[in-house]
Amino acid sequence: MKALILAGGYATRLRPLSCARPKTLFPIVNKPLLQWIFERLAKNGVDEAILAVNALTQFYIRQQKPPRYGLKVKFSIDPPKKPLGTAGPIKKAEKLLGYNEPFIVLNGDIFADINYQALLETHRKTKALATITLCSVDDPCSFGVAELVNGNSIKRFIEKPAKGQAPSNLINAGAYVLSPKIFEYIPAGRAVSIEREVFPKLADEGKLMGFCMNGLWMDIGKPQEYLEANKVILDSLAMKNQISPEGFAVKQPIALDQGVTVGEKSVIGPYAVVGKNAKIGSNVRISNSVLFAEAEIADGAVLNGVIIGEGAKIGKNVKLDPGCIVGDQARIKDNVCLPEGSAICPAKEVSENVLKAKLNC
Ligand code: GDD
Ligand code: MG
């Protein structure tokens, strides 16, 4: 079975970290999201993944080379400066996907524990052209929302309904099985939204089904959601992750990648994810935070609830309040304090205290 992974969006809400990597390459507990996706697809009997990307996303993915778990991986690239939306890339990849059997389509920015085999079986049992994985959430308004009738038939699909207008709490989890006939519903050569143009039409024609999931589902669209996803996975891995530190204290759960060094009297955790080769000095406190690879944290720094980009350097006694995001290779000089919600652009140098949170470029 084949799967198409949509990964050509721009992730504006995760700037400045998304300036240098697509969302699908954001590490979740030190493993790029795309690697988690490949792993789950391979376990579910998928043998080929087609990455629907833009040229830049393709560049970053090729550079990073996430392990493929035996999957054959192909790229299908949106035309230069013409993003195709969420359905256009499916049409563009039609020859790669083939006309013989149903295939999976995934949003590449979702961490989800979905049984794709069961999704496929649900699809096969009905005459649906599309079967959408549905997940129940408290506030459905920033998602696609489905209204079910007669068990699992979707009567209405509304993308991002206005407050109070959502017909249910069942949202589009961003994982579908589609039959090849879907290609006839997508105009070629332009941006098409599957949520706004294709699903409502299929719902009207009675060809849209829902598959309700109940496992873990997380969207990493916003910084808070990204940190939360790391926390949830840390919790689920904590038992396998016991380490015996030398000279520093650990408050589980934490995850330290290869080559991480930590100085004396530092306290790491709870909920600290530290990327490959990061260097942490002495008397440092890190909690509820994610540090990307090669980050350097000098003595006495205090980080809580923050995301530190690749190779960023945090000076001595720096204090970063919750919600701070430090871009790749940025430098925060000694003794600087950043208030809640500050965002520092890649390679930016900050040498004075910032009093009010803003994007610093
Ligand atoms: N190749 C390509 N080209 N991919 C794209 C493009 C494009 O022009 N635009 C978006 N994508 C990819 C994104 O990278 C992402 O993986 C996926 O398509 C969905 O786009 P988002 O921009 O992340 O949409 P959303 O999060 O606002 O809403 C979607 O996901 C929700 C679940 O998180 C919708 O599918 C909702 O209905 C759904 O509930
Ligand atoms: Mg999204």
Side-chain angles (χ1 to χ4, degrees), residues 44-322:
N44 276 264
V46 170
D47 48 22
E48 184 173 323
I50 298 159
L51 296 172
V53 292
N54 56 49
L56 199 56
T57 314
Q58 180 198 217
F59 168 81
Y60 285 124
I61 295 173
R62 286 198 190 276
Q63 195 184 41
Q64 175 135 7
K65 298 194 196 76
R68 299 172 167 200
Y69 302 94
L71 287 176
K72 193 168 168 187
V73 174
K74 292 182 178 164
F75 287 88
S76 176
I77 306 160
D78 287 4
K81 295 185 193 146
K82 277 199 179 156
L84 292 176
T86 47
I90 303 172
K91 180 73 178 170
K92 183 162 193 299
E94 75 178 305
K95 290 203 180 79
L96 293 176
L97 290 163
Y99 304 95
N100 296 332
E101 51 173 20
F103 50 85
I104 294 172
V105 172
L106 300 180
N107 287 351
D109 61 346
I110 296 302
F111 188 104
D113 194 359
I114 296 172
N115 182 340
Y116 296 120
Q117 291 291 347
L119 168 64
L120 184 68
E121 273 164 39
T122 304
H123 183 80
R124 287 216 162 107
K125 273 191 219 143
T126 65
K127 292 223 162 52
L129 274 194
T131 304
I132 305 182
T133 307
L134 300 174
C135 164
S136 178
V137 298
D138 292 336
D139 180 10
C141 291
S142 40
F143 303 101
V145 186
E147 184 177 356
L148 290 180
V149 283
N150 307 330
N152 63 350
S153 180
I154 297 177
K155 180 179 140 199
R156 260 198 315 158
F157 185 91
I158 308 171
E159 182 66 12
K160 308 201 172 91
K163 277 255 172 292
Q165 302 294 305
S168 81
N169 280 13
L170 288 175
I171 62 141
N172 170 14
Y176 327 121
V177 168
L178 307 178
S179 289
K181 224 176 161 19
I182 196 86
F183 299 134
E184 295 170 20
Y185 286 74
I186 312 172
R190 69 162 170 93
V192 182
S193 160
I194 197 161
E195 300 87 352
R196 295 178 196 276
E197 298 180 54
V198 182
F199 289 159
K201 190 156 187 232
L202 292 176
D204 282 348
E205 295 178 11
K207 293 173 183 159
L208 192 61
M209 294 288 156
F211 166 78
C212 294
M213 66 171 292
N214 39 32
L216 193 59
W217 184 85
M218 291 178 292
D219 183 356
I220 62 156
K222 297 182 204 142
Q224 269 320 312
E225 293 167 346
Y226 172 68
L227 283 176
E228 187 58 29
N230 277 275
K231 279 186 164 187
V232 172
I233 303 305
L234 268 180
D235 271 330
S236 70
L237 299 175
M239 296 311 291
K240 299 176 212 153
N241 193 34
Q242 301 296 326
I243 55 165
S244 39
E246 285 164 28
F248 65 98
V250 163
K251 293 187 179 169
Q252 292 286 359
I254 68 161
L256 308 184
D257 206 349
Q258 288 165 14
V260 170
T261 57
V262 184
E264 281 186 2
K265 296 189 185 141
S266 287
V267 182
I268 310 298
Y271 298 105
V273 175
V274 184
K276 208 167 169 183
N277 300 328
K279 289 192 182 62
I280 298 170
S282 49
N283 289 304
V284 169
R285 301 267 179 287
I286 302 177
S287 52
N288 302 306
S289 298
V290 175
L291 278 55
F292 286 16
E294 319 282 342
E296 291 186 22
I297 316 297
D299 300 349
V302 179
L303 315 182
N304 177 27
V306 304
I307 311 172
I308 307 293
E310 199 166 322
K313 290 191 171 60
I314 309 298
K316 286 184 188 160
N317 305 317
V318 163
K319 187 168 172 289
L320 302 183
D321 282 345

